[in-house]
Each structure stands twice: as structure tokens, then as C-alpha cells.
Amino acid sequence: MEARVQKWGIFFLMEAPTTSPADWVLNVSFRRILLQLRSRIAALYSISSSVPQLHVLEIYNAKKKETWRRTIVLSFQSLGVVYGRLSTTPLYAFGSIDPSHIKSGQQIYELFSFVFWTLTIIPLLKYAFIIFKADDNGEGGTFALYSLLCRRANVGLLPSDVSATDLMQQEELGTPSKMKVESRARRAIGRYKSSHYLILLLALLGSCLIICDGIFTPALSILSATSDLRRSLSKLAPRFTSSEKARESVDKYLKKFIPVPVACAILVCLFMLQRYGTNRIGVIFAPIVIIWLMFISGFGLYNIIHHPQILWAISPTYMFRFIKKIDTTSWKLLSSIVLCVAGSEAMFADLGHFSKRSIKVTFIFFVYPALVLCYAGQAAFFSKYLGTSDDVAHLSESVTHRHLQHIFTILSLFASLVGSQATITAGFSIINQCQALACFPRVKVIHTSDKVRGQVYVPDANWMLMVLSLSILIGFHNISAIANATGLAVICGMLVTTCLMSLIIALQWEKNVVALSVLFLLFFGSIEALYLSSCFLNFIKGAWSVVLLSLILMTIMVSWHYGTIKKYEFDVENRVTVDWLTDLSPGLGVSRVPGIGFIHSNIVTGIPAFFSHFITNLPAFHQVLILLSFKSLPVPYMPKNERYLIGRIGHKEYKIYRCIVRYGYRDHVRDVNDFEDQIIRSIGEFISREERHHEALVLQEGRMIILGTNGNALVPVIGGESCQQATDIENPTSTTRRKRVRFMLPAISPKMNPSVRKELQELVDARESGTAYFLGHSQLKVRKGSNFVKQFLVMAYAFFDRNCREVPIALDIPHAALLEVGMVYTI
């Protein structure tokens, strides 16, 4: 047995049940009950564990009741969160182009035609009108699409993905004809196991690209803003000196000491502010974006009035002219043009923070027109004054009024911070989602808002992103190189979304699914492939860094996923039956001691191998045993009143219970301080309901009931303060005091069975005697003769398992109550 404190945690997975998934989550008659009692859906909180369906109904009703006043409020808020990145793209879209590569002003018109139609087709048509239809119970993003595929096509490789998949399909399908079409599509995808791996790799690749975007975007947007600051200060030099040589010397020093050093200082401050959460630092973001968009669109309109011929470039014939006379140098220019849609993914990824209507209304009626006016005015100015200056392509040059250029510089600094904040927050969210589905090592996740559940802060990832972003900024110190890398990350992420969405269309939509899916893939995929080819032409000029970082992140995710699955498979193969504990253990001289023992297990049937190993060496266990498992479902959120699945193992006198904690990929259950109290209250509620509950689930080990944290079987009483180790990452050695919760039975009621009251009293007495936590600390080792890939993945998993955050801290378990059993798994 090892004394070192190292735990499992939220990655505990569930065993796929031997019965059908529909029997596992709910009896087959649930659909009929739901249809009959739809008007009283709130009263059925204890019937169904198919939470996604109930949650869909709740979200649907909430969206249906949304008023225009509420839409306007959400639209205002979305400007500071969703559109911060998209609104700052004019800083570097044209600005990353080398004016020497432009052959004539006519070519700028052709590039603006690409900008206009790219903005129209990708963010407006693709995202706002099509991909928004594929939200996952109100949530968006790469993992939202993957979770839909897990449920509809049964392509999930995670053991925790398969338990409720078939039932969700039955509930979400409508007519028999629809089931026939979708089942045919599912069979086509499910025929080959390799397709399941491909879909998972696509989801992981999209996640890696979002994280890369959170690394490159802050460096690019802030460096663009500080470069404008350098140009603004250079224009002030003639006021203080009339010497041409002195002005050149000042400009030289400004280029050396302003853009990169100031950008590094701003980046450090930006990442240090993340600990306060977007709920606090985002208060002023929406007004900044509004002022910024009105400012740049106003000057765009001013330049259009003076050069109205730019409006002719809206015609797609200008794009065809560009393609007709294309060469390598001209083709590379498209890698900068693709930056005009950077941030479109945020429209879908941040869908859970707002509503579809608010995001669409904001983009269609404000953001889209403002960006089109800005780009049109900038292109008109660029074409008119091409060759007059090396900085003519930058947005600040199109602001013709000298004094307003200084105001523009200040606004661009604030706007770049807003855009950077959006990508950093998106990186935190995707890491949280990957971790919930066992695809990322354990890291501490702090939820910074009680109202917006998706706002999270990941301290470990924050400092990692800061170091990498600073490294990119200092290493490249060039806008064009960073823009090349950012463009590749952006377009690859969009291509991944297109591929996943085409599968969603084939599995969910009713008519002509194959034709619609292929048409969607060919139309949008060909446009994105066009930009992808241009980005790869700049591979050696910065784009290689995205490929390198993506490979590193993919290695981390794949190795962690592989190791987690192998541990789970080993636990399933080496588990022991409950009969071994209840029937055979008396022959071993096993005694029961007062108290409650929590056995953390990643399987949901049988006894984990590490606990049998412990009993064999130390024949004693507690008066009350609770087998605790965590189950990650491919849904965003799990309602609190349906989070726990409670059951009894063996006879009543054994006092052995099983508790399955179910959570979505955007839920936070690990940082709940009263987690133990919630489990005990749920056990008490199970005891009081067991005899009279007729909707229990019948499993191998007995009946299980779906419960929440609210119940009246046990009455909580706040007792004295208890001291335990704090979980704050900034000060891990500090201690925090919190109130200890005791339980007592309610007043004597003639409705409560005396045997039930006796069992509840025994549970309360056991809690007063103390609690202990049993965890298995397992290590993976590779068998001799294994191939190199397997050896590498296991070694990588073992390295991350030793060095990532310890689960006891994440689960808020006092170290004094922790007992860990070490085992070695050879695979």
C-alpha cells in the first residue's frame, strides 16, 4: 500500500451494462409515460434518468418564452463575449499583407470581394443559419457535435458514452420512417470501428485547434495594437524635432522597444486577470466592442463615400478574375484574407451563454454590416494609396484624421484585449469539456460564475497558455508570421466543424440526408480547402508552429484517453462479485467497524479489485459502505434533482449502497464543498423511498432510484467548524474552515416505517463515527514485447498521471480520511 497521496477523480468511468441501455437508464415504457404526462413534466423528477430529453424540453420552453426585451439584453452582452474576436479581425486581416506582394489596386478590389463573400458564406450562412440547428441542448462547440454523434450513431469510444445512447435515440426520433432513415445512416457509419476512431480524432483535433487559437490570437491581436501604438508615436516625433536623422533614430528605437516589449507586458497582465473570471472583467467589454465597431465602420463609410467604386467589388466576378490569373504569390495572400472570419467558431462555441436568437440578431443587424463597411473602406483606401507607405495596409492608416488616429490607437488596445479574452475563455471551456470526457489530464477547474455555468477558469492551463503565447510573440515578433499560424488554426478548426456537421445532417435530418450531407460538405468544405491550401503555402513562415502544437496536444489527449480506457478494461476484468464480500468474507474473519466507508470505483457492478486486495490484507471494513462511481454523459448539463442514481447491494443488514454520480461535460461536480453531505442525504432519501417507489430501475445488483440533493428524509444541522486543507491553487498549504453538517431524523411520523427509521438512524450514527475514503492508486506497465506505439502511449500516460493535479484535492477530500491502495496493472 502506498502512502503517497495520489488519486483518481472525475475520470472514473462506468462499465457498459450487460442489459440493454434502455433497461439501464429507464424502463421501456418511459416514452409513453412522458407523452401522456407532458403537461406535468416537473412532477416526474424521479422517473427518468434520460436527462437530455427533459433538459431539451426545459430549454425549448425557456427559448419559446424569450421576449424581445430579453433578446436585446442578451444581444448586448454577447457583443463583449462572442464577438470580441471577430470585431478585431480588421486589425490584422489586411495588415498582415506585405504591400510589395500587391500588383495593383485592382487586385485589392479582388481581395475585398473574397472578404465580402467569405464573411457572408461562413459566419452568416454556415454558422448563423445552419450549424446553429445542431446545438446540443443549448450548447455549442466541437464537443457538442461529437456528443450528438455519440448518442445518434453510437460512435462513442468512451465506456461512459454508451449507457444512454440507444434510449436517447428512441426518444429523439419521431416517426417510424425517420427511425428507418436514421438507423440506415447509423449502420453505414457504425459498420467500421475505424470510423469511430476517426470521429473522435476529429473532435480532439478541433479541440486542439481551439486551444492553439487561444495561444496565437492574444499574441497577434495585441501585437497588432502595439504596432499601431508605435506608428502613432512615430507621427508625433516631428513635433519635437525637425531633423530627419533624429526622426529616423526615434522611429528605429520605437520599433525596437514598443511593439514586442509592450505587447509582452500587456499579455502578462491579461493572463493574470483571468483568475477574477470573465464575469467581473467582462463588465465593460460590450461597450468597448460597440464603440469600436461604430468607430471603424464610420471611417469605413467615410472612405466608401470618397471612393464609391469599391462597391463594384461586391460582385463575385472579381473573385473569378483573381483565380483566373492566380500564381503562388497571389495565392498566399488568401491566408491573410481568411483571418477576416477568425472568431466565427466563437458564435457556436459560446451558444450556451446566450440564446440563438440573440447571437443571430446581433450578428445580422450590427456586427456583419459594421465589418463589411470597415473592410470596404479599408480596401478603398489601400487601393488608392498603394505604394505610398510600407504601413498603408494597416487599418490605422485608413483613419485619415490625425487626431482621431490617436483615439483609434487607444481603442485598438482595448479591443484587442476583448478579442484575446474571448479566445482564452474558449480555451478554458474546451479543456474543461475534454477533461470531463477523459480526454485531458486532471487539472483544477474553477467556475467563476454562479449564473453562467460555462464560465470557467483553469489555473494550470492559464499559465501554460501565457508561457506559450509569450514564446510565440518573442520568437516570431512579426505580425505576418503569427498571422500565418493563426490563419491555419482558424481554417482547420472550421474544416473539422464542417466534417462533423455533415455527419450530424446525415444522422438527424429527415429527408435526402445523404444528398444534403454531401452538398454541405462539398460546398463549405471546398471553400475552406481553398483557404487551407493557401495557408500551407506559408508553412515555413510560421504555420508550422500550429502543426507542432497540435501534435503535442493531440499526443497528450490520445495518451490520456488510451490509458484511462485500459485502466477501465483492467478493472472490469479483475472485479470481484458482491457475493465474495457478503458471503465469503465472514470466513476470512472480516469485522465491521463504526463509520462510513466511501469506495471510489470506476465500475458500476461488482467490487473493485483494489478493495478486495485491501480486505485480503486487512480484514475489516466500515459499518456502512458506499460504492461511489462517476459517470460522464455526452450531454452539457445534468439537473441536480436527477444527478444521483442510488441502489442497494445485497440484503438490508449488509448496509452496502451504490451511488452513481452522473454529470454532463460542462457540469462542475468536483469543486462542490458539501459533496459528502449531498451523498449522505441522497442515501437517506433512497432508504425512505425504497419500499414505496414504483419507478425504480432494475439492474443486476438490485433496484436503483434517481434522486437529487433535495430530500426530507434527513434534516441537516450546522454544527461546529471543521478544518481541512484548502484547495486554492495559489496557496495549497493554507487551511480553510467551514461548517460541519450533522444530520438528524425528522419528527416521528406515522407514515414512516419503523424499520426505515431504524436504518436511517444507523446511517446518522455511522456518519457521527466518521468517514473514510478508499481509493485505488494504480500504475500502468507495458508487457514485454509490446509495439512501440503502445509503449509510448502508456509511458506518456504514466508521466501525466504522476505530474497532473491530484484528485483528492479536486474532490475536496480531507487527507486525514484518505486511504489509498496501490496496484500495478500490466497491459
Side-chain angles (χ1 to χ4, degrees):
M1 195 184 326
E2 295 190 8
R4 182 169 64 90
V5 178
Q6 174 83 13
K7 294 187 184 177
W8 290 55
I10 206 68
F11 300 104
F12 291 158
L13 303 174
M14 294 187 62
E15 177 194 6
T18 56
T19 57
S20 67
D23 292 334
W24 162 243
V25 184
L26 183 63
N27 53 41
V28 180
S29 63
F30 169 73
R31 180 170 177 78
R32 294 193 298 269
I33 296 174
L34 182 61
L35 293 174
Q36 295 171 1
L37 303 180
R38 185 183 298 269
S39 60
R40 295 185 297 162
I41 192 70
L44 301 179
Y45 66 93
S46 62
I47 293 180
S48 170
S49 66
S50 179
V51 176
Q53 180 69 7
L54 297 180
H55 200 197
V56 167
L57 293 175
E58 294 172 0
I59 291 178
Y60 172 76
N61 292 332
K63 303 293 184 183
K64 189 175 181 180
K65 296 177 181 178
E66 181 182 337
T67 61
W68 275 106
R69 181 179 179 182
R70 177 63 176 167
T71 300
I72 294 174
V73 172
L74 292 176
S75 299
F76 175 79
Q77 295 174 349
S78 68
L79 283 168
V81 177
V82 177
Y83 295 110
R85 170 74 188 284
L86 193 60
S87 63
T88 56
T89 54
L91 283 173
Y92 42 78
F94 278 123
S96 60
I97 296 177
D98 188 350
S100 62
H101 294 163
I102 302 296
K103 300 177 181 178
S104 64
Q106 190 69 17
Q107 192 174 42
I108 298 176
Y109 280 43
E110 297 166 356
L111 292 176
F112 169 71
S113 183
F114 273 96
V115 170
F116 174 80
W117 287 105
T118 303
L119 276 173
T120 303
I121 293 175
I122 293 182
L124 183 62
L125 178 61
K126 175 186 170 183
Y127 283 93
F129 288 103
I130 299 179
I131 292 187
F132 273 18
K133 297 179 182 295
D135 65 301
D136 183 21
N137 299 344
E139 295 293 334
T142 303
F143 261 85
L145 296 177
Y146 178 67
S147 101
L148 288 174
L149 289 172
C150 289
R151 297 205 301 271
R152 290 184 171 87
N154 197 18
V155 299
L157 295 173
L158 296 173
S160 56
D161 284 345
V162 299
S163 62
T165 300
D166 289 349
L167 179 64
M168 294 178 191
Q169 291 168 355
Q170 293 178 12
E171 293 175 354
E172 292 172 356
L173 295 180
T175 61
S177 60
K178 183 178 179 181
M179 294 181 64
K180 181 179 180 181
V181 172
E182 291 194 349
S183 63
R184 188 182 301 117
R186 288 197 300 272
R187 286 197 301 269
I189 295 178
R191 186 176 303 169
Y192 302 101
K193 192 71 175 179
S194 58
S195 64
H196 299 182
Y197 289 98
L198 178 61
I199 293 174
L200 176 62
L201 289 177
L202 276 176
L204 293 180
L205 177 60
S207 303
C208 293
L209 293 169
I210 293 176
I211 298 174
C212 289
D213 199 14
I215 296 172
F216 288 94
T217 294
L220 176 61
S221 60
I222 294 178
L223 182 59
S224 300
T226 54
S227 298
D228 289 335
L229 177 62
R230 191 270 307 169
R231 284 187 290 271
S232 181
L233 293 177
S234 297
K235 293 177 181 179
L236 294 176
R239 296 186 178 184
F240 302 98
T241 178
S242 58
S243 173
E244 184 68 24
K245 184 177 180 180
R247 288 199 296 268
E248 292 178 357
S249 178
V250 169
D251 188 62
K252 179 181 178 181
Y253 280 103
L254 288 176
K255 286 182 179 180
K256 183 177 181 181
F257 295 107
I258 292 296
V260 175
V262 173
C264 290
I266 295 176
L267 271 179
V268 172
C269 295
L270 175 65
F271 281 100
M272 290 182 67
L273 288 174
Q274 297 304 312
R275 62 184 299 179
Y276 297 104
T278 55
N279 193 36
R280 295 181 180 178
I281 63 179
V283 174
I284 60 173
F285 280 5
I288 290 176
V289 174
I290 292 174
I291 296 173
W292 166 256
L293 286 175
M294 293 178 65
F295 189 89
I296 61 176
S297 62
F299 269 95
L301 182 61
Y302 174 84
N303 287 318
I304 292 173
I305 293 174
H306 285 75
H307 313 285
Q309 58 272 21
I310 188 66
L311 297 177
W312 292 106
I314 294 177
S315 172
T317 56
Y318 282 79
M319 291 191 299
F320 298 135
R321 293 177 190 173
F322 181 88
I323 296 175
K324 186 177 180 179
K325 53 184 179 182
I326 196 69
D327 55 25
T328 303
T329 303
S330 301
W331 198 255
K332 290 181 180 179
L333 297 176
L334 295 181
S335 62
S336 297
I337 299 302
V338 73
L339 293 174
C340 71
V341 293
S344 299
E345 281 286 333
M347 294 173 59
F348 184 52
D350 293 331
L351 193 61
H353 294 186
F354 307 98
S355 65
K356 293 182 185 179
R357 186 165 70 171
S358 63
I359 294 179
K360 291 173 67 174
V361 166
T362 305
F363 181 76
I364 295 172
F365 294 103
F366 184 58
V367 177
Y368 175 76
L371 290 177
V372 170
L373 289 174
C374 174
Y375 281 116
Q378 186 182 5
F381 182 89
F382 189 8
S383 62
K384 179 69 175 180
Y385 297 97
L386 179 64
T388 58
S389 171
D390 293 337
D391 298 327
V392 69
H394 293 275
L395 181 61
S396 59
E397 297 299 313
S398 63
V399 181
T400 54
H401 198 282
R402 180 175 298 180
H403 296 292
L404 291 179
Q405 284 184 346
H406 304 310
I407 298 177
F408 170 86
T409 301
I410 298 174
L411 280 176
S412 65
L413 286 172
F414 283 106
S416 64
L417 288 176
V418 177
S420 301
Q421 176 64 38
T423 57
I424 295 171
T425 303
F428 292 159
S429 298
I430 203 66
I431 289 174
N432 182 40
Q433 295 176 20
C434 291
Q435 180 181 238
L437 293 180
C439 294
F440 201 85
R442 295 182 297 268
V443 290
K444 183 180 180 65
V445 177
I446 300 174
H447 290 256
T448 59
S449 174
D450 294 330
K451 297 180 180 179
V452 183
R453 304 173 71 177
Q455 293 183 2
V456 295
Y457 166 57
V458 185
D460 303 326
N462 181 62
W463 306 124
M464 178 192 73
L465 293 177
M466 184 187 74
V467 171
L468 291 175
S469 187
L470 287 173
S471 301
I472 293 296
L473 179 60
I474 297 173
F476 288 121
H477 59 267
N478 181 270
I479 293 178
S480 297
I482 302 177
N484 293 335
T486 306
L488 182 60
V490 168
I491 199 61
C492 287
M494 291 180 177
L495 194 56
V496 168
T497 301
T498 299
C499 295
L500 293 176
M501 184 61 195
S502 64
L503 293 175
I504 294 294
I505 294 174
L507 296 171
Q508 184 178 6
W509 292 10
E510 296 185 24
K511 300 178 180 179
N512 301 324
V513 289
V514 177
L516 286 174
S517 177
V518 173
L519 181 62
F520 179 88
L521 181 62
L522 290 179
F523 180 70
F524 293 104
S526 60
I527 295 174
E528 291 158 357
L530 176 75
Y531 284 114
L532 181 64
S533 63
S534 66
C535 291
F536 272 115
L537 292 177
N538 295 314
F539 184 82
I540 62 175
K541 295 182 179 180
W544 60 268
S545 56
V546 172
V547 178
L548 179 61
L549 283 176
S550 298
L551 286 176
I552 294 174
L553 291 172
M554 281 289 289
T555 301
I556 295 174
M557 292 182 177
V558 171
S559 61
W560 188 265
H561 172 78
Y562 179 81
T564 302
I565 295 300
K566 289 301 178 182
K567 273 189 174 183
Y568 169 81
E569 292 175 351
F570 189 92
D571 285 334
V572 171
E573 294 173 359
N574 294 273
R575 63 186 173 181
V576 296
T577 62
V578 179
D579 294 337
W580 182 91
L581 184 64
T582 57
D583 298 337
L584 301 181
S585 58
L588 301 175
V590 177
S591 60
R592 305 290 291 266
V593 297
I596 298 178
F598 286 92
I599 305 173
H600 287 255
S601 172
N602 60 340
I603 56 178
V604 294
T605 57
I607 304 298
F610 77 86
F611 190 70
S612 63
H613 178 66
F614 170 80
I615 295 297
T616 304
N617 291 275
L618 187 62
F621 58 89
H622 290 80
Q623 176 186 357
V624 176
L625 280 184
I626 300 176
L627 296 171
L628 187 61
S629 302
F630 292 89
K631 175 179 175 58
S632 173
L633 291 175
V635 295
Y637 300 111
M638 206 71 166
K640 291 183 179 180
N641 61 344
E642 299 180 345
R643 175 160 290 169
Y644 300 112
L645 198 60
I646 309 294
R648 185 190 298 277
I649 301 178
H651 300 290
K652 284 188 175 183
E653 56 267 20
Y654 294 147
K655 298 182 182 65
I656 302 177
Y657 309 94
R658 184 178 298 281
C659 176
I660 301 172
V661 184
R662 305 175 301 168
Y663 61 96
Y665 56 79
R666 301 199 73 172
D667 271 324
H668 54 100
V669 297
R670 294 180 297 161
D671 55 354
V672 179
N673 293 331
D674 58 346
F675 180 75
E676 177 184 313
D677 302 331
Q678 294 179 7
I679 295 296
I680 294 176
R681 290 189 68 180
S682 299
I683 297 292
E685 193 68 17
F686 167 80
I687 294 173
S688 66
R689 294 191 185 187
E690 183 181 14
E691 297 297 333
R692 55 186 173 86
H693 203 283
H694 303 292
E695 299 293 344
L697 312 180
V698 180
L699 304 181
Q700 285 182 329
E701 297 175 339
R703 304 164 72 232
M704 300 194 80
I705 300 177
I706 302 157
L707 297 169
T709 58
N710 298 324
N712 53 11
L714 296 177
V715 179
V717 179
I718 303 298
E721 292 183 344
S722 63
C723 180
Q724 73 176 58
Q725 182 169 340
T727 60
D728 186 8
I729 185 175
E730 307 297 341
N731 190 9
T733 60
S734 65
T735 58
T736 59
R737 293 185 179 275
R738 72 180 187 207
K739 296 292 183 180
R740 175 179 172 80
V741 178
R742 302 176 62 187
F743 292 99
M744 61 179 294
L745 268 64
I748 297 177
S749 172
K751 297 181 179 180
M752 181 176 291
N753 192 303
S755 62
V756 172
R757 190 173 187 86
K758 179 183 177 182
E759 188 173 1
L760 288 174
Q761 186 62 53
E762 292 174 347
L763 178 64
V764 172
D765 295 340
R767 168 64 186 276
E768 292 298 318
S769 300
T771 57
Y773 294 83
F774 296 86
L775 287 95
H777 172 53
S778 56
Q779 295 182 352
L780 288 183
K781 286 191 176 180
V782 187
R783 297 182 186 274
K784 294 182 178 180
S786 300
N787 58 63
F788 172 76
V789 176
K790 185 176 181 180
Q791 292 182 13
F792 175 77
L793 291 176
V794 172
M795 290 175 60
Y797 174 83
F799 173 79
F800 296 126
D801 190 36
R802 289 192 305 267
N803 294 279
C804 67
R805 182 161 295 275
E806 298 174 352
V807 180
I809 297 177
L811 288 175
D812 202 18
I813 298 175
H815 292 298
L818 174 64
L819 187 61
E820 187 171 6
V821 181
M823 295 188 68
V824 177
Y825 294 176
T826 303
I827 60 174

